[in-house]
Amino acid sequence: MQSVQGTDAMSAATATVPGSKKVFIKWGLLGSVGLVNGYATILMYSRGELAFAMLTVILTALALYIFGSKKLTRTVISIQVLRG
């Protein structure tokens, strides 16, 4: 069975591209940090240092999540300012 829908049902969502250079620099830097740490993790794992490789993956993922999120970045910066 076919359902009858209006023309609004199949409209394409418009994707917004951030125009700020800061956004591209931020995500480029976070991506490069992720790639370098991924390479270091592979090297550690290949040498048999499983515990350090797992620790690196966890800390890198946490750091990328914190600094990739606007809300968490503001929280981390404000906590550092309050600590003096």
Side-chain angles (χ1 to χ4, degrees), residues 15-73:
T16 59
V17 177
S20 175
K21 287 185 180 180
K22 287 184 179 182
V23 173
F24 290 116
I25 291 172
K26 172 186 171 181
W27 287 108
L29 187 63
L30 287 175
S32 62
V33 166
L35 287 174
V36 168
N37 279 310
Y39 180 71
T41 301
I42 291 170
L43 286 178
M44 283 187 265
Y45 182 74
S46 67
R47 293 183 182 180
E49 300 172 353
L50 184 61
F52 290 116
M54 290 174 56
L55 180 65
T56 302
V57 167
I58 292 169
L59 291 178
T60 302
L62 183 62
L64 292 176
Y65 177 71
I66 288 172
F67 290 109
S69 170
K70 285 183 181 180
K71 184 178 178 182
L72 290 176
T73 302

Side-chain angles (χ1 to χ4, degrees), residues 1-6 9-10:
M1 280 192 137
Q2 288 183 341
S3 63
V4 178
Q5 298 176 348
M10 297 300 290

